[in-house]
Amino acid sequence: MTTRLREVDVVIVGLGWTGGILAKELSEAGMRVVALERGGMRGTNPDFAIPQIRDELKYAVRNHLMQNPARDTLTFRHSPTEPSLPMRQLGSFLPGEGLGGAGVHWNGVTWRWTGIDHAARSYYEQRYGKSFIPSDMPIQDWPMTYAELEPYYDKFERTAGVSGKAGNIRGTKQTGGNFFEQPRDRDYPLPALEPSYSQILFNDATAQMGYHPFPRPCANASRAYTNPDGSHLGACVYCGHCERFGCEANAKGSPHITVIPKAMAQPSFELRTHSWVTKVMLDSTKKKAIGVAYTDVSTGEEYEQPAAIVALCAYAINNVHLMLLSGIGTPYDATTQKGIVGKNYCYQPGGGGVTLFFEDRIFNPFMATGAFGIAIDDFHANDQFDRAAMSALGGATINVGQSNGRPIGYRPVPAGTPRWGAAWKKATAKWYLRAMNIGVTASNMPNRYNAYDLDPTYKNVFGQPLLRLTYNFLENDKKVIGYVAQKAAEIARSLKPASMTGPGMLGDYNIVPYQSTHNTGGAIMGSSPGNSALNKYLQSWDVPNVFVLGASAFPHNSAYNPTGPVGALAYWTADAIKTKFRNRPGLMT
Amino acid sequence: MKNKNRRDFLKTVGTVGATGIAAAVGGDTSVAGQSPAGSPAGRVLLDPAGGPVSHAYTFLTAPEAAFIEAAVDRFIPADDLTPGGTDCGVAVFIDRQLAGAWGSGDRTYMQGPWQKGVPTQGYQSPLTPAEFFRAGIAATNAYCRKTLQKDFDRLTVEQQNKVLQDMEQGRVTFEGTVPAQEFFNLLLGTAMQGFFADPIYGGNRDKAAWKMIGFPGVIAIYSEHIKTYRNKKYDVEPKSILDLS
Ligand SMILES: Cc1cc2nc3c(=O)[nH]c(=O)nc-3n(C[C@H](O)[C@H](O)[C@H](O)COP(=O)(O)OP(=O)(O)OC[C@H]3O[C@@H](n4cnc5c(N)ncnc54)[C@H](O)[C@@H]3O)c2cc1C
């Protein structure tokens, strides 16, 4: 039996970063908001308390803070001709579950995307001509400019306590910041963190080579901080248990210590945990959502929550799944290239990195934070970088982080070392402290075949079809990685290591080893219903009282991590709902 | 113990009490104890930092335990860096993992239909990890008996190394459901988890693995050290969750 509940103004599906921001903004504006979160309640104390939180096996290997694939997962194939098989265990990416979503166990690298990202098609067409863009690469411009989003980026950086150094304040270049940065209104709320030894070496080497190194912006607080909402963050202690863990020091900008408690303080806000939304309910016209159906996974009871606005904040992957399950918009078909929902799935190619081994240098890899690092953007945000030289679109950042030295996962040894036995032990003991990594993180352009749809065979615990992902790294990605990896290798060689491994070549996408939780696209935003599922306010063209927040809206993936614009767009959408939609419900222009 | 086969040893010691043996072998930190009839092999490990810690295999049968002990001793041979894998508790770790939630398929999508995919599509076996281990051990032993007339744990160290290398390189094919290379990778991966995880799970005894590499463990406040230990070794006695609990 299904229980029908009283109608509210807004129902939010998923309470991570985007859901948290929306929950706070809309409930503070007096709207009646219910958030449905499939996972449980959690907080810093006791859930992230030391010493238990420093358990690599439980959190970093067995993924105890993340989505449980036994209940819901997706199927995966490299191309439409391959059988699609379930991702039976988590690996390549780690979607969150529970209050705060992946926002509690992210690293915190917090970028503003570039002008090139906002103008992805027009930039390449103008600079290189229409024929430079392959015909099977459906890139398109964002429906808003960087300048329009700037105040919202600023808001998110201040909420999350981002540490960094501005490179461009209102058009004036700032020494020490990112030379290629878009103009910002003011500096980051917190100064950059102390660099590690590896980062200093990289900084000096790249500066010497004429590149433009700068501290990567990160939501790991360089000192204690109170954000504009009055939320307190502690100072990061460089503990090296950041990504995949919750922070016991509250030093990582995270929704569970910022926006969510603010929403929970509002009488007009209600949170229901263990509430798994299975569907958005539409009326008979299919143009209007009447609410959502959900199951309380702790009792098995089914509910309907009517609402005037439905906000999907369930993470990029789950948002698309829910749209397809609910019949919102037209599903994309890669064969005919008709339809929209599921289109332009992108990810983040890596694999061009190098590991450097030094006889006489000690890096203490365990003195680490999730996000601090030195990066160069000369092959990415730099619009003068000649893409014709690599005959590919996009680019890659080259960076040195130092996110952890946790020994199940981090045990660098030189190429040719056996994986076990006496020689392996000797090498592991020798090199653990004496290695550093230079990473290459690339953009990912869409391809007509890289897309989601519903799987015809496999089901989740609710008996619903799993999402099916068709995806591979393609020619363009291989060229970008191939080109920028050589630059990374040159930088590495200038440091004269005793030996180095890499750079590797980009092969087929492998869903097993962790790469990043930077899944984008599927419910993309654009200028018209013909090219997108969402308008510039992340509002469904087809069902205008449904908003779809998160990186599912990105038509391509940048070489930057997604959460900067994910957070900025959440504030942007909240603003549009408060100031426009609320007074005049309907499609906003 | 070092060069002695576990099963032979169990035979020799018969019903002598575990503590008695521990005393008899003196400095050795790992001693096989008495195996009550019909139950898994018991084992006593002496905690070098304190008194004896009692362990019993809960999932592995005696022959399976003998296999795992031999394998982890090849992966992590005793040398001046650390004791061997078994003495570091890695076999106990594997047993507990297989007996626990992970072994029974927790956080794994177990619904069919099952098809063999390409390796880049990930784990596709209908077996739980525990069942997969059990089948893998049986298949490896069957292969060893067929080619070398003995179970894996009774081979010489050189023969064991060769079998493991052949499995690792994909040079052997097992009969039955478990692909040799896939089993090897799971076995090695799980052994490494045991060697390097917090000792709270039964492996990495006395934090041997952490001491070997210089990982200081879970006390991790480096706000100042990030500056003062640039290019400088940070020498501390590592601390584990076990130490602090
Ligand atoms: C290990 C890791 C490291 C990362 N590092 C970085 C980084 O350095 N920089 C960066 O930019 N990004 C990083 N990310 C990505 C970042 O965490 C996400 O971009 C961000 O959290 C997305 O916010 P969201 O609101 O879209 O989703 P989330 O924060 O994940 O929240 C989604 C919520 O929805 C819930 N939910 C899902 N389906 C349903 C349903 N059907 N019913 C009810 N609730 C549901 C989930 O349980 C979850 O709580 C990282 C992610 C991971 C996992």
Side-chain angles (χ1 to χ4, degrees), chain A residues 3 62 73 97 119 144 163 205 232 281 309 377 391 480 498 502:
Chain A
T3 310
R62 306 271 188 257
T73 182
E97 180 164 318
M144 78 290 287
S163 305
H232 300 292
M281 302 177 301
I309 295 176
D377 238 344
S391 55
V480 172

mmCIF file of all heavy atoms in Angstrom, chain A residues 3 62 73 97 119 144 163 205 232 281 309 377 391 480 498 502:
data_model
loop_
_atom_site.group_PDB
_atom_site.id
_atom_site.type_symbol
_atom_site.label_atom_id
_atom_site.label_comp_id
_atom_site.label_asym_id
_atom_site.label_seq_id
_atom_site.Cartn_x
_atom_site.Cartn_y
_atom_site.Cartn_z
ATOM 1 N N THR A 3 1.329 5.224 0.768
ATOM 2 C CA THR A 3 0.789 6.338 1.553
ATOM 3 C C THR A 3 1.029 7.642 0.809
ATOM 4 O O THR A 3 2.155 7.933 0.410
ATOM 5 C CB THR A 3 1.498 6.415 2.928
ATOM 6 O OG1 THR A 3 1.475 5.110 3.507
ATOM 7 C CG2 THR A 3 0.836 7.428 3.837
ATOM 8 N N ARG A 62 36.975 -0.905 0.918
ATOM 9 C CA ARG A 62 35.626 -1.482 0.897
ATOM 10 C C ARG A 62 34.532 -0.430 0.738
ATOM 11 O O ARG A 62 33.353 -0.768 0.740
ATOM 12 C CB ARG A 62 35.385 -2.302 2.164
ATOM 13 C CG ARG A 62 36.425 -3.389 2.442
ATOM 14 C CD ARG A 62 36.068 -4.716 1.797
ATOM 15 N NE ARG A 62 36.987 -5.752 2.240
ATOM 16 C CZ ARG A 62 37.990 -6.228 1.498
ATOM 17 N NH1 ARG A 62 38.191 -5.778 0.268
ATOM 18 N NH2 ARG A 62 38.791 -7.168 1.973
ATOM 19 N N THR A 73 23.089 -0.352 -9.388
ATOM 20 C CA THR A 73 24.361 -0.091 -10.036
ATOM 21 C C THR A 73 24.051 0.256 -11.486
ATOM 22 O O THR A 73 22.908 0.599 -11.806
ATOM 23 C CB THR A 73 25.317 -1.307 -9.885
ATOM 24 O OG1 THR A 73 26.570 -0.995 -10.489
ATOM 25 C CG2 THR A 73 24.754 -2.587 -10.503
ATOM 26 N N GLU A 97 26.466 8.019 -0.827
ATOM 27 C CA GLU A 97 25.170 7.605 -0.286
ATOM 28 C C GLU A 97 25.137 7.982 1.186
ATOM 29 O O GLU A 97 26.059 7.675 1.922
ATOM 30 C CB GLU A 97 24.986 6.085 -0.454
ATOM 31 C CG GLU A 97 23.669 5.583 0.075
ATOM 32 C CD GLU A 97 23.338 4.177 -0.429
ATOM 33 O OE1 GLU A 97 23.554 3.902 -1.621
ATOM 34 O OE2 GLU A 97 22.884 3.373 0.381
ATOM 35 N N ALA A 119 32.247 28.204 -23.783
ATOM 36 C CA ALA A 119 32.012 28.416 -25.222
ATOM 37 C C ALA A 119 32.614 27.268 -26.022
ATOM 38 O O ALA A 119 33.330 27.469 -27.014
ATOM 39 C CB ALA A 119 32.630 29.742 -25.645
ATOM 40 N N MET A 144 25.087 29.769 -20.443
ATOM 41 C CA MET A 144 25.374 31.023 -19.738
ATOM 42 C C MET A 144 26.886 31.253 -19.800
ATOM 43 O O MET A 144 27.656 30.320 -20.015
ATOM 44 C CB MET A 144 24.863 31.013 -18.289
ATOM 45 C CG MET A 144 25.679 30.257 -17.277
ATOM 46 S SD MET A 144 25.612 28.458 -17.493
ATOM 47 C CE MET A 144 23.962 28.080 -16.913
ATOM 48 N N SER A 163 40.738 27.256 -0.259
ATOM 49 C CA SER A 163 42.074 27.832 -0.091
ATOM 50 C C SER A 163 42.713 27.945 -1.469
ATOM 51 O O SER A 163 42.683 27.000 -2.252
ATOM 52 C CB SER A 163 42.946 26.927 0.782
ATOM 53 O OG SER A 163 42.317 26.676 2.022
ATOM 54 N N ALA A 205 60.527 23.579 -11.050
ATOM 55 C CA ALA A 205 60.893 23.018 -12.358
ATOM 56 C C ALA A 205 60.040 23.624 -13.466
ATOM 57 O O ALA A 205 60.540 24.000 -14.530
ATOM 58 C CB ALA A 205 60.724 21.497 -12.342
ATOM 59 N N HIS A 232 31.349 26.755 10.877
ATOM 60 C CA HIS A 232 32.760 26.758 11.268
ATOM 61 C C HIS A 232 33.514 25.615 10.622
ATOM 62 O O HIS A 232 33.078 24.465 10.672
ATOM 63 C CB HIS A 232 32.889 26.654 12.785
ATOM 64 C CG HIS A 232 32.225 27.778 13.502
ATOM 65 N ND1 HIS A 232 32.695 29.069 13.434
ATOM 66 C CD2 HIS A 232 31.118 27.803 14.269
ATOM 67 C CE1 HIS A 232 31.888 29.858 14.146
ATOM 68 N NE2 HIS A 232 30.922 29.114 14.657
ATOM 69 N N MET A 281 6.706 11.392 -10.431
ATOM 70 C CA MET A 281 5.356 11.153 -10.956
ATOM 71 C C MET A 281 4.929 12.330 -11.824
ATOM 72 O O MET A 281 5.031 13.490 -11.410
ATOM 73 C CB MET A 281 4.364 10.993 -9.796
ATOM 74 C CG MET A 281 4.734 9.843 -8.848
ATOM 75 S SD MET A 281 3.599 9.712 -7.444
ATOM 76 C CE MET A 281 3.762 11.306 -6.694
ATOM 77 N N ILE A 309 7.452 21.608 -6.917
ATOM 78 C CA ILE A 309 8.743 21.568 -7.623
ATOM 79 C C ILE A 309 9.461 20.279 -7.238
ATOM 80 O O ILE A 309 9.520 19.933 -6.054
ATOM 81 C CB ILE A 309 9.637 22.766 -7.221
ATOM 82 C CG1 ILE A 309 9.010 24.096 -7.668
ATOM 83 C CG2 ILE A 309 11.046 22.617 -7.794
ATOM 84 C CD1 ILE A 309 9.794 25.320 -7.204
ATOM 85 N N ASP A 377 48.410 25.176 -16.105
ATOM 86 C CA ASP A 377 47.241 25.200 -16.975
ATOM 87 C C ASP A 377 47.637 25.568 -18.397
ATOM 88 O O ASP A 377 46.789 25.888 -19.223
ATOM 89 C CB ASP A 377 46.257 26.250 -16.439
ATOM 90 C CG ASP A 377 44.902 25.657 -16.110
ATOM 91 O OD1 ASP A 377 44.643 24.544 -16.584
ATOM 92 O OD2 ASP A 377 44.131 26.312 -15.404
ATOM 93 N N SER A 391 46.411 18.178 -32.682
ATOM 94 C CA SER A 391 45.224 17.899 -33.503
ATOM 95 C C SER A 391 44.086 17.258 -32.702
ATOM 96 O O SER A 391 43.556 16.204 -33.053
ATOM 97 C CB SER A 391 45.552 17.088 -34.751
ATOM 98 O OG SER A 391 46.208 15.904 -34.423
ATOM 99 N N VAL A 480 45.119 13.898 -26.749
ATOM 100 C CA VAL A 480 45.360 14.878 -25.678
ATOM 101 C C VAL A 480 46.321 14.286 -24.651
ATOM 102 O O VAL A 480 47.335 14.903 -24.290
ATOM 103 C CB VAL A 480 44.033 15.303 -24.997
ATOM 104 C CG1 VAL A 480 44.307 16.152 -23.764
ATOM 105 C CG2 VAL A 480 43.150 16.056 -25.980
ATOM 106 N N ALA A 498 66.260 9.232 -10.370
ATOM 107 C CA ALA A 498 67.053 8.021 -10.615
ATOM 108 C C ALA A 498 66.369 7.171 -11.677
ATOM 109 O O ALA A 498 67.011 6.550 -12.520
ATOM 110 C CB ALA A 498 67.213 7.227 -9.319
ATOM 111 N N GLY A 502 56.184 5.557 -16.532
ATOM 112 C CA GLY A 502 55.231 6.334 -17.304
ATOM 113 C C GLY A 502 55.980 7.271 -18.224
ATOM 114 O O GLY A 502 57.202 7.263 -18.231
#
